[in-house]
Every structure is written in C-alpha cells, then in structure tokens.
Amino acid sequence: MKPNDVVITGIGLVSCLGEGAEEHWRKLTADEPAPVVDAERFAPYTVHPLPAIDWGLQIAKRGDQRQMETWQRLGTYAAGLALDDAAVKDDETLCATMDMVIAAGGGERDEAVDAAILAASENRADQGVLLNEHLTTELRPTLFLAQLSNLLAGNISIVHKVTGSSRTFMGEEGAGVSAIETAAARIRCGQSTHALVGGAFQTEHPDMLLGYELGGYLHRGPWKPVWQRQGSEGGGVVTGSGAAFLVLESRQHAQERGRKAYARLGAVSSGRSRRSTTDLQAEIAALAEKTGVSGNPLLAVSGASGAHKATAAELAALGGMTGIGLRAFGTLTGHMKEAQFPFAVALAALAAHNKAAYPAFDRQAETAFAGSTDTVLATTVGYHQFEGMALVHAAD
Amino acid sequence: MASMTDHLGRPIVVVTGIGVVTSLGAGKTDNWAALTAGRSGIHPITRFPTDLLNTRISGTVDFLPSSDKGASSLTYELAEMTAHEAIAEAGFDTRNFGGPLFLASPPVELDWRERFSLYAAGSKETGLERLLEVARGLNALDVFQSAQFGSIADRLSDSLGAIGLPITLSTACASGATAIQLGVEAIRRGECERALSIGADGSVTAEALIRFSLLSALSTQNDVPERASKPFSKDRDGFVIAEGAGALVLESLESAVSRGATVLGVLRGCGEKADDFHRTRSKPDGSPAIATVRAALKDAGMSEGEIAYVNAHGTSTPENDKMEHLSLSTVFGERIRDVPVSSNKSMIGHTLSAAGAVEAAFSLMTMREGVIPPTINYDNPDPAIDLDVVPNIKRSADISSTMSNSFGFGGQNACLVLTREPV
C-alpha cells in the first residue's frame, strides 16, 4: 500500500442498460443479461440506444442543456454521476483542483443542412459556392461549439466546475486508454491528486455510423453476441450510445477525505500494433503479459468490438489462456468507441468491489468463472487500431 | 557540473530539436527571416471559393503537395515535415525516433469533397443514408482514415518510429502547448528520455472558416490581408485563421548532455487552469488565465520578475487581447510595461491547434538569436492595453527567459515558461 496508489472512488455509467454503477451491476449480473437493441432506425444496422435520461438531474440549467447536442449532454451527465458517486460534485475546492482527461470524438453534425447540400450537389458543378450558400445561412452559430472535441470537457467545467486542468484526447478507443493511463501515471508520481477521466459516445446519428462504415466495420443483419459475428454480413461492430467516467484519486487523497474506494487501479498498458505487418494475437498476448496477466484464474472484462479481425485475435490470445473468464460487455451495450476502455475499467472495478464475477454474457462463447475477483483485467482492442489493458484490484 | 534536476528534484527537460512550418515558409530559417523582417504570411484565400464569405483572407499553407488534398492530408504533411526538421536537428534518426509522440491536431471530419463523391456514387436513398449505403460497398482505407481521429498520429508513429500508443489531443487553441506539457510530464515521470511534441493544423476549409465566422471570431479586414491581424490595436476585429506546425524534440538534460547534443532551450514550467465561465468567453476577472500564468511560474520555480519576454497568445480578437492584458498586468503588476510582449500571430495569423507549438518554437529562437520578432500592424494602439508590444520592428535583446501563453474556446488556458540555459 502506497500513498500514491491510484484508487477509483467514483463511477458514472450510462448505456442502453440504464444509468449508474449500481444499476449496471444489477443488470449485468442478472441470470440472463439481455441487451437493448434497436434494429429499425438505422437498418440494416442495429444499435444499442440511449435509455431515457432526465438530463436536468445532472445539468441543472436548461440553457446549458440547449448549448449541447446529445454527445456532450451524455458525457456531462455521466461525469456528473461519477462526481456525485465520489462525493466531489458540489465541493468547490475539490472541483477547482481536480484534473480532467476526456476521451472525445466529435459532436453531431446538422443532418438536415448536410442533406440539403448533398441533394443540391446533384445539380451543381460549383460545389464550393454551393457549400458557402448553405453553410453561411443555415448553420446554427453555436452548433460549432457542440461539435468541437474539447467542448465536452468545456461543458463539464461549466456545469460541474471541474477546473484544475482540462485535457481532451482524441483517437477512438486509444483516446480512452491514454486518458486513463495518463491520469493514473500523473497521480502515481504526484503530478495530480484527483482526476476525472472518461468519455462518451452517441451513436444514434448516421454520421457516427459512417465513421465506422467507411472502413466496412459495421455488422449487418440480425443482432448476435460480440464473439459470434465472424462470417456474418458486414464487419462485426454493433455500436451503442453510452458513457463512462471515473474519479481517480491517490490513496492518500481519498483517505484524507474519508472516502472508501471501489477498487485500486493497477497496471495500465497501452499498445499500437502495426496490424498490417504483425500478428495481432501475439501482440495482445504480449500486452497482457506486460500488464501482469500471469496464468492464474482471472476475470477479463473485455471491450471487444466485434470487428472481425481484432475480436478473433483477442479471443485467440486471451481465450486461449488457462483460467481466463472472458466477458465482452459489448454484447449487451454495443461498442462505445472513446468510452469503451473507461467502461471496461469501471465494470472491472465493480466486480472487484462486489467480490463477484459477471455471468457469461454469451453462454456459447464465454465460460463460467468461479475464481476470485480480487484482481480483474479490463481490455480494449481497437476495432481498427490501438490496444489497452488494465488490472483492477480489490481496494483493501 | 550543472544539476540534472530542477527545484523539485525532477529531471530538467530541454529542447534539442525544433521544426516549424507556417504560411511564411517551411523550416526555421525561412520563418525566422520573415518573422524578424516583420513580414506577414496572410493572403487572400485561393483554396476554395470565397463567394458570400465575410472573411476572404487567411494564413493557409499553400505551397505543399497536400495543400489542396484536405485537412487530414495537409495536417499530416505539416506534422511530418516539422518532425523531420526537429528530429534531424536533435541528431536522431527520422525513421527511428525512439520516444513517445504527443500530437496536437484539429478534430477531423469527413471532408466535403468525399461527401460529394460518395453521394454522387449512389442513387438510392437521400442524405446521409445514401452516404452510408455507398460506404458499405466501398471499403476505401484512405477515406476511412481521413475521418478517424487517431490516424494521423498512427501514421506518424509508423513513419517516425515513435514508441508506444501516440496521444492525439485537443485543447482548442491551447493544443500545441498541451502537447508540449504532456511531453514534459512524461520525461519528468521518468517514462522516457525523449519525447516528440507536435502541434499541426492544416484544417482551413470553407466550413471551418464559416464556423468561426458565425461566432464572430474572424477579422473581416479583407482589403489589405497582411494588415488584418493587428493584436493589441484599437481597431483589431478578430483573428486571421491560419495553418502551420511546430515540433519540438524534448529530452532530459541528462540524456542531451550524455550524448553531446546542443541544448536549444529549456522547458522550465507548464501551467494550466480551466475556465468555467462560458464556452467562448473568459471569466471577466481573468482569474483562470491569471492562475494559469502563476501555475507555470510556480512549476518553473521562478518569479514573474525573472521573465524577460512574453510571447503573447495575442490573437487580435477584441476579447482575447483585453483579457490577456488583464491577466499579465495582474501577475506582473507595474513591471508589465517594461516587459516586451509580442504576438507572432500579427504575421502568421492564428494557427489554431498548432499555435502553442509554433509559438514555443519561435520563443526558443527568440532567446537563442537575441532578437524579438515584432508585433506588426501596430499603428493604432489600444489605449486600454498599455504594453510594450515591440511595435512593427524587431528588437535586439538579451532574453534568457520567456513566457508563452495559449488560451482557447472551452475554457482552455495553458502557459509555458522557457529559458535559454538550464540553470
């Protein structure tokens, strides 16, 4: 036990399953955890939609809510859940000294404006002028702020008064990995005492699906669990709207303010396999070894996306190790991009905290796990690039 | 022998390589010559039609092969060019740098030319549904990558031989400074002996310009483009959107000394503080910017009396320059009138995600060369901003320490303290 150990003292989760750490634990440990899917709105794609959210519970001012599109509202809301959970939320001093690392993509474009421009483009050769005509007159001036990547953090500062520092990392799943890795490293070496870390992803917009589909990554046809999409039509990814935020603190900082931790965050490792030239399965196995996976029975909360190549490699690398109980939560929540790794770490912390494992989310592909959850692995292998893992340990 | 650690016992972080590209040219030599001659890189926009636009000028980088190939391609090329210059100067292998990469770059979106081309390739459906339908059968890796936030850093890592998972970041107009701060922190933690911090921005498109324009952030003084950016002047009316990149090879002093590298300057301190007041406006009392400057001084273990020059954020917007003056005069007190404060943006415009890195590069050169680049277009001083802005003409000066400010939308504030020698 060291004073600068990193402990997790707050968790804020939103997914199709609901909101909050407790509700996620309850839904995910039910006898037959069931996903919430919407196969109609974006057919032939299935998505895991947001649950009903009373935004006012975490974003009191309607004016603030109006300044954001769903992605920013979702992130700001989940950040508020985490801050509440850690009893930081209305503590001005704690918020004013709290560091923040957000994993972000971009916000929603104005679909109607884009559609009008595209429709008009069929009869126009001067597309540049066409753009100017529409964009100068139809764009809502403040929409830009709802789209800027760093404005999720900006809104969290405004709404929750977290102002110690504000950094936004970009880069799909890798941004979530780096956010946690960096915040933890800073706490461990005394550069920071407490930090808010997380990300949000709002998939219910065709532009957000387009980001995956340009690379042919989306699964089509009937919904299937993450591990069972090989050979199905499309690229294997089923997306979900959701967010995950963590409050990370030094052990000493948490103790001094009398907070019990959910869990201790151990080793966090990140990787960038050169996937076109190297064996991703071997790289994932090496990353697990570097993180400290040793062959003992281990629950592994996997952020596997379903993307065929990456998911097969992760299954082969980790599923092949003795004693590992894989649990791909993406089966139930969908893939939440920047939020995927923070979500995995949060679920690992809940298993360590509750001293219990999750049941198989996919009874065909995931085996029963009866071992200890004193240590739990969290993984995220990016659908296209970047990998990350972390070990989460029981708090005491 | 000089100490290898700073006032807090941390490894001293120095700069051993610098690279820069702006509208003034590629490389340090051309940029420095132009900057000290007081030459502007601002020009009429030719990249896209400016019909109906209130702002028709910019500091775009138009002389590179990727200049007309979209934001993602140009940002990549800018980053790689400056990285090569910096890594080569540091004496490392440009294909095998061997340290982590921190990249400040603009948020990416699928370029309109790609949207149009996808749309034209389909016939069923309308709007974005058609784009999805076409994309489904396309599987075009380059188009896909242009819309992935992590792709530029991923490709740079391959090309430069950077180690580990690269960090791509955005803190809006403070991004370049944040990239440097992340590199400094990694070296201080002992995670690496060297790091590559790059700020690169090649994202001037019609849509980007219109977005800033709709927020009334841009100058509309189109008639004489090179005179539009006039930080601290009474008739300043907005920033001039621009492109560029800056790269620094950061290294522990110990590593630099042990391999006999030339130390180009020292990253003494970094400070940051977020503003919770408004999405685009600063808290009226300037307290977050003030706290940022003080945090950087504290991190550097220096007092404001030891700062010899301020490389201002100086965007030329009515709001920024007023607030920057407020924060500087609060921190420095009466002495601020005696501290030269100049804005590189008077000549290169606002290079957005790159600005903090570009201006850190120029700050280091200012100290090494003993010449302060001027604030040009300073003919009509704002009487409310009583600063020595080094008006219009460069000034020779022995500068051993510099403060470089960066402020951005979303309450982003970052400040770097740089010194010439590792004392």
Side-chain angles (χ1 to χ4, degrees):
Chain A
M1 264 207 251
K2 297 185 194 129
N4 280 358
D5 282 345
V6 180
V7 295
I8 299 168
T9 55
I11 295 176
L13 297 176
V14 177
S15 75
C16 66
L17 301 174
E19 64 175 79
E22 269 182 43
E23 185 167 357
H24 275 85
W25 177 254
R26 202 170 55 245
K27 294 259 174 78
L28 289 168
T29 51
D31 271 351
E32 298 249 355
V36 180
V37 296
D38 181 341
E40 309 295 321
R41 267 167 75 200
F42 300 99
Y45 311 111
T46 297
V47 299
H48 297 265
L50 276 183
I53 295 174
D54 181 355
W55 301 109
L57 293 177
Q58 289 296 341
I59 309 169
K61 291 183 189 162
R62 295 197 65 83
D64 282 335
Q65 291 180 33
R66 273 197 302 274
Q67 291 286 322
M68 305 180 225
E69 296 291 312
T70 306
W71 161 65
Q72 287 176 359
R73 270 203 299 271
L74 173 60
T76 305
Y77 187 90
L81 292 178
L83 293 169
D84 253 348
D85 195 36
V88 170
K89 196 172 166 206
D90 294 312
D91 187 321
E92 271 182 47
T93 314
L94 279 175
C95 286
T97 51
M98 186 175 215
D99 292 307
M100 174 161 53
V101 192
I102 304 300
E108 299 92 330
R109 297 176 60 86
D110 188 323
E111 202 179 333
V113 174
D114 285 1
I117 294 170
L118 290 171
S121 74
E122 294 199 290
N123 310 310
R124 290 276 290 265
D126 55 345
Q127 291 173 335
V129 178
L130 169 73
L131 272 183
N132 293 355
E133 285 171 10
H134 283 264
L135 296 175
T136 51
T137 54
E138 292 167 23
L139 277 186
R140 184 157 54 82
T142 53
L143 182 67
F144 182 27
L145 300 171
Q147 295 170 321
L148 275 174
S149 301
N150 74 303
L151 259 291
L152 168 50
N155 279 294
I156 292 172
S157 289
I158 290 169
V159 173
H160 302 309
K161 308 296 167 198
V162 175
T163 58
S165 66
S166 168
R167 301 175 185 180
T168 295
F169 290 179
M170 305 184 294
E172 294 74 39
E173 299 100 318
V177 173
S178 295
I180 289 185
E181 185 179 32
T182 303
R186 294 190 73 221
I187 291 171
R188 271 193 198 106
C189 85
Q191 290 172 342
S192 170
T193 53
H194 57 305
L196 176 68
V197 189
F201 180 63
Q202 179 342 60
T203 195
E204 295 155 68
H205 188 294
D207 222 46
M208 296 301 159
L209 296 174
L210 186 62
Y212 290 88
E213 197 61 331
L214 286 167
Y217 277 109
L218 292 180
H219 174 78
R220 301 199 294 276
W223 175 89
K224 290 178 181 178
V226 160
W227 306 116
Q228 296 185 35
R229 295 178 194 155
Q230 307 287 336
S232 299
E233 216 186 338
V237 179
V238 174
T239 61
S241 296
F245 279 79
L246 303 169
V247 172
L248 303 181
E249 283 183 73
S250 72
R251 180 187 297 280
Q252 183 177 357
H253 191 268
Q255 276 171 352
E256 280 172 5
R257 64 184 196 96
R259 292 305 298 179
K260 293 279 264 187
Y262 279 102
R264 174 170 67 87
L265 180 60
V268 185
S269 315
S270 60
R272 187 189 74 88
S273 305
R274 299 189 183 198
R275 295 191 187 178
S276 55
T277 55
T278 57
D279 175 2
L280 182 56
Q281 178 187 337
E283 298 257 351
I284 293 169
L287 192 66
E289 193 182 331
K290 182 182 157 199
T291 312
V293 174
S294 62
N296 295 327
L298 182 67
L299 181 73
V301 176
S302 165
S305 62
H308 294 158
K309 192 177 157 198
T311 302
E314 183 174 351
L315 185 62
L318 298 180
M321 291 180 180
T322 22
I324 290 226
L326 269 177
R327 298 292 181 266
F329 59 90
T331 290
L332 299 170
T333 63
H335 184 251
M336 296 172 283
K337 226 177 204 176
E338 287 85 7
Q340 194 75 349
F341 189 65
F343 212 103
V345 172
L347 295 188
L350 289 176
H353 173 66
N354 288 300
K355 302 190 185 306
Y358 298 99
F361 299 144
D362 167 2
R363 288 190 181 177
Q364 279 187 44
E366 296 176 350
T367 54
F369 181 82
S372 156
T373 58
D374 278 353
T375 293
V376 182
L377 180 70
T379 78
T380 291
V381 175
Y383 59 92
H384 180 71
Q385 59 200 2
F386 305 151
E387 303 85 36
M389 291 188 196
L391 284 178
V392 177
H393 308 279
D396 300 313
Chain B
M1 200 177 102
S3 171
M4 295 297 168
T5 53
D6 69 7
H7 65 116
L8 296 174
R10 308 171 297 192
I12 291 174
V13 179
V14 300
V15 178
T16 52
I18 301 172
V20 67
V21 179
T22 70
S23 55
L24 293 171
K28 292 191 291 286
T29 309
D30 285 359
N31 270 281
W32 189 247
L35 209 61
T36 49
R39 202 164 81 227
S40 169
I42 309 307
H43 50 260
I45 291 169
T46 55
R47 183 177 294 167
F48 47 84
T50 55
D51 309 51
L52 307 170
L53 302 185
N54 293 330
T55 293
R56 299 183 295 277
I57 54 171
S58 74
T60 48
V61 172
D62 293 335
F63 50 79
L64 296 181
S66 306
S67 290
D68 59 355
K69 296 199 167 48
S72 182
S73 296
L74 180 55
T75 301
Y76 176 85
E77 186 172 11
L78 287 165
E80 191 181 47
M81 274 186 88
T82 52
H84 282 166
E85 186 180 22
I87 295 170
E89 182 175 34
F92 292 115
D93 182 345
T94 53
R95 286 162 305 172
N96 188 21
F97 173 66
L101 168 65
F102 301 95
L103 174 70
S105 66
V108 295
E109 285 183 303
L110 190 63
D111 199 273
W112 268 108
R113 85 187 66 198
E114 306 295 355
R115 288 178 192 271
F116 285 136
S117 138
L118 287 170
Y119 200 74
S123 55
K124 288 182 283 182
E125 308 278 358
T126 56
L128 296 172
E129 279 69 30
R130 188 193 287 186
L131 301 189
L132 268 168
E133 177 212 328
V134 173
R136 200 173 300 150
L138 193 70
N139 215 342
L141 185 66
D142 53 338
V143 181
F144 166 71
Q145 283 190 332
S146 74
Q148 292 279 297
F149 288 84
S151 284
I152 295 175
D154 186 49
R155 290 171 56 212
L156 283 172
S157 288
D158 275 342
S159 141
L160 304 171
I163 286 177
L165 175 58
I167 288 181
T168 305
L169 66 110
S170 175
T171 53
C173 304
S175 301
T178 304
I180 293 168
Q181 182 173 24
L182 284 162
V184 169
E185 287 180 350
I187 293 171
R188 283 177 177 171
R189 287 196 296 266
E191 286 172 10
C192 53
E193 289 188 338
R194 58 180 175 274
L196 180 61
S197 294
I198 306 176
D201 201 318
S203 71
V204 178
T205 60
E207 184 165 13
L209 183 139
I210 290 166
R211 286 168 168 180
F212 279 113
S213 209
L214 288 170
L215 292 174
S216 308
L218 300 182
S219 171
T220 57
Q221 298 180 11
N222 298 300
D223 295 345
V224 191
E226 57 271 22
R227 297 192 54 79
S229 184
K230 47 185 72 173
F232 310 116
S233 290
K234 196 176 174 185
D235 53 343
R236 68 186 187 276
D237 72 331
F239 71 80
V240 175
I241 194 168
E243 296 175 328
L248 300 184
V249 171
L250 303 171
E251 194 169 356
S252 70
L253 176 62
E254 189 167 358
S255 165
V257 167
S258 73
R259 63 186 190 89
T262 303
V263 171
L264 306 173
V266 185
L267 249 306
R268 271 284 282 268
C270 314
E272 62 195 321
K273 175 74 184 167
D275 191 330
D276 58 13
F277 180 68
H278 186 267
R279 288 158 189 83
T280 57
R281 295 202 311 273
S282 318
K283 201 172 269 190
D285 66 2
S287 54
I290 293 165
T292 299
V293 169
R294 288 192 169 136
L297 286 167
K298 187 179 173 203
D299 192 52
M302 291 169 67
S303 71
E304 64 279 0
E306 294 174 85
I307 297 296
Y309 163 63
V310 176
N311 186 299
H313 190 53
T315 57
S316 189
T317 62
E319 163 93 359
N320 174 81
D321 296 1
K322 185 180 80 178
M323 292 308 298
E324 190 166 13
H325 171 251
L326 171 64
S327 58
L328 288 173
S329 55
T330 305
V331 173
F332 286 80
E334 287 294 309
R335 183 177 166 260
I336 194 61
R337 290 198 194 87
D338 304 322
V339 182
V341 179
S342 73
S343 169
N344 301 151
K345 290 188 183 74
S346 62
M347 291 172 277
I348 60 171
H350 192 346
T351 58
L352 304 172
S353 300
V358 168
E359 290 160 25
F362 289 151
S363 296
L364 290 158
M365 294 166 76
T366 298
M367 292 189 287
R368 278 183 72 73
E369 303 291 333
V371 175
I372 306 176
T375 302
I376 68 164
N377 301 322
Y378 192 72
D379 300 326
N380 192 2
D382 182 341
I385 299 179
D386 187 10
L387 292 173
D388 169 10
V389 304
V390 191
N392 302 321
I393 295 167
K394 70 178 177 185
R395 184 186 304 167
S396 291
D398 177 31
I399 303 292
S400 61
S401 58
T402 295
M403 169 176 285
S404 178
N405 289 335
S406 296
F407 309 120
F409 283 173
Q412 307 279 178
N413 300 290
C415 176
L416 304 175
V417 171
L418 309 103
T419 58
R420 196 173 49 198
E421 285 96 17
V423 180

